[in-house]
Amino acid sequence: MSVSEADIAFALELFEGLGPLSTRRMMGGLCLYRDGVIFALLRSDGSLWLKGSGAFAARVTAEGWERWTHARTGQRPTAMPYWRLPDAALDDPDHACNLAREALRDLT
């Protein structure tokens, strides 16, 4: 299954406050970039995930955000560096953009 055009439009509108974004379809989903740096994934189920490292990753882990894990057939699940955007941020573009900016600070 691939990501829907409606979900892509929603994600781009949600993060519009970050300035110009670019995207790339990948593995049935969509990667979102700001200034060439990937900061979020839009999965085919419509869920949005922020990429994290450093202080941002530590904070969202401590807050209990859901972390994306990937399991290949016959192998143990691997924790990926992406955390699901909280529902409150999905309804608040300012909040979503602030979280994305925080994530980007540790990614650049």
Side-chain angles (χ1 to χ4, degrees):
M1 180 187 345
S2 65
V3 65
S4 74
E5 292 302 319
D7 287 338
I8 294 170
F10 174 80
L12 291 174
E13 184 176 328
L14 184 68
F15 293 117
E16 186 174 53
L18 296 175
L21 302 177
S22 58
T23 62
R24 180 175 177 209
R25 290 181 184 267
M26 188 178 282
M27 298 175 289
L30 187 83
C31 299
L32 288 92
Y33 297 82
R34 173 71 173 112
D35 293 330
V37 177
I38 185 171
F39 72 92
L41 291 178
L42 173 61
R43 297 195 46 199
S44 62
D45 64 2
S47 60
L48 277 165
W49 301 74
L50 289 180
K51 187 173 184 180
S53 66
F56 179 77
R59 181 175 77 82
V60 299
T61 297
E63 290 177 5
W65 288 28
E66 179 184 356
R67 188 168 185 179
W68 177 27
T69 58
H70 177 71
R72 293 178 188 219
T73 305
Q75 295 183 0
R76 297 170 68 193
T78 300
M80 306 300 285
Y82 294 91
W83 285 263
R84 189 180 195 122
L85 195 63
D87 288 343
L90 295 173
D91 295 328
D92 184 348
D94 289 333
H95 183 46
C97 287
N98 286 337
L99 291 169
R101 284 184 195 98
E102 186 179 342
L104 278 159
R105 272 194 295 272
D106 286 340
L107 295 171
T108 55

